[in-house]
């Protein structure tokens, strides 16, 4: 009997010790696993705006409260914007670049892309790969707006397309970056460029006299004059194709960006792997401006056209000069069409 009771007591003790050990083991596992700890810590600290932004990404609509993505002119969340403290958004290097061309319609394209909830774009031109490369990638990254996972970060600097060093430098940042070039008839582009020069430097010589070696009567085109040189698209593109496959580049039809912004935006969104969210319902044609404008730009509920430096009146150019420039550009344009596999129809 006594022997049996003793055995019973030992079994109870053993079971008690075993249960205690299991409780200790469970507690240890729970507390030593960082996943558990961060999970419990994270739940109460999810920022409501992060949830709102994720909702916005999934259900992109016009009616998202605009202060959730308020940015300053550089595209960086402004000091008063609560999204600046959104812990899920980080500054990343761009995955897409609008590399050119100057006066092609690059500002319009960037503003249109910024309507997309999966695009975060720097507002001003960083000029990193052409002018400020020695400032380093960390500096460049710091110029980017914060973005959530899945959002595409981008910037536009039209000078990159014609800068000799840019292709190699962009490639060393990323082999996979997507490149967009807005192209426009090189003659109209040159006149647009010249109109900008005149607006900054009144009294400058005429377009005709700057375009030809012996003034307006000359036959030889002054192809080194920057407004004409930039329009040698095939020549500039050659340098990019030494680093990037043509499939990684998209050429936006600058003229169609004006006549059919939604149609061009559909192609650009496809190229960037984005859902087609920017559509014709975002645009209206403003008769006074003579250009498509936005019904509701990013961060505002008011209709908005681009500023007065976009869509300037062009000076009247002599027909003979236009004819000579058409002859000059013709072989360059044809070579460009061949390289990109698309005929832009410039005369
Ligand atoms: P013009 O001023 O010669 O008309 P960029 O932004 O690359 O400097 O290009 C400026 C050009 O963008 C303008 O040249 C204009 O033709 C073109 N553009 C395209 N869409 C536009 C829009 N919706 N509003 C104003 N300009 C637009």
């Amino acid at each position: 009997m006594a022997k049996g009771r003793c055995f019973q007591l030992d079994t109870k003790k053993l079971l008690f010790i075993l249960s205690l050990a299991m409780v200790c083991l469970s507690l240890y596992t729970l507390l030593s696993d960082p996943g558990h700890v961060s999970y419990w810590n994270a739940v109460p600290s999810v920022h409501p705006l992060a949830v709102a932004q994720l909702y916005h990404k999934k259900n992109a609509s016009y009616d998202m409260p605009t202060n959730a993505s308020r940015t300053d002119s550089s595209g960086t969340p402004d000091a008063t914007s609560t999204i600046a403290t959104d812990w899920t958004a980080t500054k990343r290097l761009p995955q897409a670049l609008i590399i050119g061309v100057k006066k092609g319609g690059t500002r319009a394209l960037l503003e249109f892309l910024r309507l997309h909830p999966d695009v975060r774009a720097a507002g001003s031109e960083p000029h990193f790969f052409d002018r400020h490369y020695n400032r380093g990638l960390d500096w460049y990254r710091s110029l980017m707006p914060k973005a959530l996972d899945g959002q595409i970060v981008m910037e536009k600097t039209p000078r990159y397309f014609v800068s000799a060093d840019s292709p190699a430098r962009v490639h060393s940042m990323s082999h996979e970056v997507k490149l967009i070039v807005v192209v426009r008839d090189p003659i109209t582009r040159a006149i647009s460029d010249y109109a900008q020069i005149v607006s900054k430097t009144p009294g400058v010589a005429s377009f005709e006299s700057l375009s030809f070696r012996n003034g307006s009567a000359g036959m030889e085109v002054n192809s080194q004059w920057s407004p004409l040189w930039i329009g040698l698209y095939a020549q500039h593109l050659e340098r990019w194709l030494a680093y990037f496959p043509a499939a990684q580049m998209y050429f936006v039809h600058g003229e169609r960006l004006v006549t059919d912004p939604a149609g061009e935006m559909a192609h650009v969104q496809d190229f960037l792997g984005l859902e087609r969210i920017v559509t014709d319902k975002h645009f209206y044609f403003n008769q006074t401006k003579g250009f498509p404008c936005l019904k509701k730009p990013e961060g505002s509920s008011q209709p908005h056209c681009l500023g007065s430096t976009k869509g300037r009146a062009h000076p009247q150019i002599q027909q003979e000069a236009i004819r000579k420039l058409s002859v000059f550009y013709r072989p360059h344009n044809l070579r460009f069409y061949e390289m990109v596999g698309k005929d832009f129809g410039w005369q």
Side-chain angles (χ1 to χ4, degrees):
M1 274 292 278
K3 218 176 170 188
R5 203 166 51 231
C6 180
F7 176 73
Q8 237 178 8
L9 266 177
D10 282 347
T11 311
K12 273 185 184 168
K13 266 186 195 163
L14 201 65
L15 277 172
F16 176 74
I17 288 165
L18 268 174
S19 316
L20 202 66
M22 278 176 74
V23 169
C24 288
L25 196 68
S26 311
L27 268 173
Y28 173 77
T29 313
L30 188 72
L31 293 174
S32 62
D33 179 352
H36 284 95
V37 176
S38 63
Y39 172 76
W40 291 113
N41 284 343
V43 169
S45 67
V46 172
H47 195 293
L49 273 169
V51 176
Q53 206 174 25
L54 283 168
Y55 174 84
H56 180 43
K57 265 161 61 66
K58 278 195 177 330
N59 305 276
S61 87
Y62 261 169
D63 300 318
M64 176 71 185
T66 49
N67 67 345
S69 59
R70 198 187 312 140
T71 56
D72 63 18
S73 61
S74 72
T76 309
D78 71 21
T80 59
S81 170
T82 31
I83 207 75
T85 56
D86 183 351
W87 62 270
T88 60
T90 53
K91 292 196 175 216
R92 286 188 268 116
L93 291 170
Q95 294 118 295
L97 298 173
I98 299 175
I99 57 172
V101 298
K102 185 186 179 193
K103 307 316 292 176
T106 54
R107 174 57 57 188
L109 178 67
L110 192 75
E111 292 308 308
F112 298 169
L113 274 168
R114 289 173 86 171
L115 296 171
H116 201 293
D118 288 340
V119 170
R120 299 288 287 131
S124 49
E125 296 174 7
H127 279 280
F128 174 62
F129 297 105
D130 57 334
R131 286 188 199 150
H132 304 304
Y133 196 61
N134 58 358
R135 295 189 185 180
L137 281 173
D138 286 342
W139 175 83
Y140 184 44
R141 188 188 289 108
S142 76
L143 304 182
M144 297 302 140
K146 286 184 174 179
L148 295 167
D149 269 3
Q151 287 183 311
I152 294 182
V153 176
M154 55 190 307
E155 63 112 332
K156 78 122 180 159
T157 303
R159 188 83 200 161
Y160 293 160
F161 188 59
V162 298
S163 128
D165 294 330
S166 290
R169 289 172 173 179
V170 171
H171 192 258
S172 81
M173 174 191 74
S174 163
H175 300 191
E176 289 169 359
V177 66
K178 293 189 175 178
L179 305 170
I180 299 176
V181 194
V182 191
V183 285
R184 179 183 185 187
D185 183 332
I187 302 177
T188 332
R189 199 220 66 80
I191 299 170
S192 171
D193 209 344
Y194 175 76
Q196 178 158 300
I197 294 171
V198 172
S199 75
K200 290 180 179 168
T201 327
V204 77
S206 71
F207 178 87
E208 292 85 344
S209 61
L210 292 165
S211 294
F212 303 97
R213 288 229 184 267
N214 299 316
S216 45
M219 280 307 289
E220 200 194 335
V221 171
N222 182 7
S223 59
Q224 294 308 301
W225 183 43
S226 174
L228 297 182
W229 174 74
I230 291 175
L232 299 169
Y233 301 147
Q235 183 180 305
H236 305 301
L237 177 59
E238 218 159 44
R239 280 197 311 271
W240 288 91
L241 291 180
Y243 289 89
F244 295 95
Q248 216 167 303
M249 302 185 78
Y250 185 73
F251 297 87
V252 176
H253 198 304
E255 285 84 5
R256 275 200 217 133
L257 192 63
V258 178
T259 56
D260 179 18
E264 274 308 299
M265 286 307 292
H267 296 307
V268 176
Q269 289 169 96
D270 290 352
F271 170 70
L272 291 174
L274 294 167
E275 207 181 313
R276 288 189 183 182
I277 283 172
V278 182
T279 62
D280 53 0
K281 75 175 193 295
H282 290 86
F283 304 100
Y284 75 99
F285 190 81
N286 185 303
Q287 296 292 344
T288 318
K289 175 89 179 163
F291 282 92
C293 297
L294 301 177
K295 287 183 188 165
K296 286 184 184 181
E298 188 203 31
S300 163
S301 57
Q302 295 301 309
H304 173 75
C305 295
L306 296 191
S308 57
T309 60
K310 307 295 173 186
R312 285 194 182 95
H314 288 186
Q316 191 71 33
I317 306 298
Q318 291 167 12
Q319 273 311 304
E320 183 55 10
I322 301 283
R323 196 193 58 74
K324 283 194 257 182
L325 288 176
S326 302
V327 173
F328 166 73
Y329 274 120
R330 197 172 157 67
H332 297 283
N333 289 345
L334 291 178
R335 192 156 81 90
F336 177 65
Y337 300 164
E338 212 169 283
M339 288 165 91
V340 303
K342 185 158 143 186
D343 184 341
F344 287 85
W346 304 315
Q347 295 307 311

